[in-house]
Amino acid sequence: MPNDVTASIPGQAPGLRIAGSTPLLVRPPLLVVRTDDTAPPEVEWSVGAVSEQCGIPTATLRSWDRRYGIGPSQRTSGGHRRYTDLDICRVQVVQQLSDRGVPTQTAARVALSMDAGRLARETAAPSA
């Protein structure tokens, strides 16, 4: 099944399968924070926007960033977190796995090990 996620949980059999993962939808961007002259506009999201979009408290998002490296890949010159769409996909994968009982640290390792294509597939809207 393409939406299955495999994770190894310490103390349990390797390769635990989290079957039937329902992909989470990513809403359209709320704001464009910055652009440069050589690249197409890059959409970036504040921690508050990601919190609202994913239904995860801002304190949890900040904690995941500090503890597990699941956070924004960008920061403003003032140090404010700015999430890209790929960062949000990682957050959603951690959320999906955590909701199914996988420890957050393990879920974070799984999300960080996924390439952009896999993250997109895991968080894509279901096909009609």
Side-chain angles (χ1 to χ4, degrees):
M1 175 179 281
N3 290 334
D4 289 356
V5 177
T6 303
S8 295
I9 299 177
Q12 296 189 14
L16 171 71
R17 290 191 69 75
I18 310 299
S21 298
T22 304
L24 298 174
L25 300 177
V26 176
R27 284 197 256 166
L30 299 177
L31 73 143
V32 174
V33 175
R34 69 178 172 84
T35 64
D36 66 34
D37 294 333
T38 61
E42 183 177 344
V43 178
E44 296 178 340
W45 307 71
S46 70
V47 69
V50 175
S51 172
E52 181 182 317
Q53 181 175 327
C54 297
I56 301 171
T58 57
T60 301
L61 291 170
R62 289 182 181 107
S63 175
W64 287 0
D65 182 21
R66 279 190 315 273
R67 292 180 182 182
Y68 313 116
I70 296 295
S73 55
Q74 306 292 323
R75 293 210 183 230
T76 66
S77 59
H80 297 279
R81 292 168 171 86
R82 292 295 182 253
Y83 289 77
T84 63
D85 288 337
L86 188 60
D87 298 332
I88 294 170
C89 288
R90 281 197 178 89
V91 166
Q92 290 176 324
V93 167
V94 172
Q95 182 182 36
Q96 287 176 346
L97 293 173
S98 295
D99 288 350
R100 288 168 176 78
V102 175
T104 307
Q105 183 176 22
T106 303
R109 276 194 229 128
V110 170
L112 289 170
S113 72
M114 291 180 177
D115 64 22
R118 176 77 188 271
L119 284 166
R121 286 190 301 274
E122 291 297 328
T123 57
S127 301

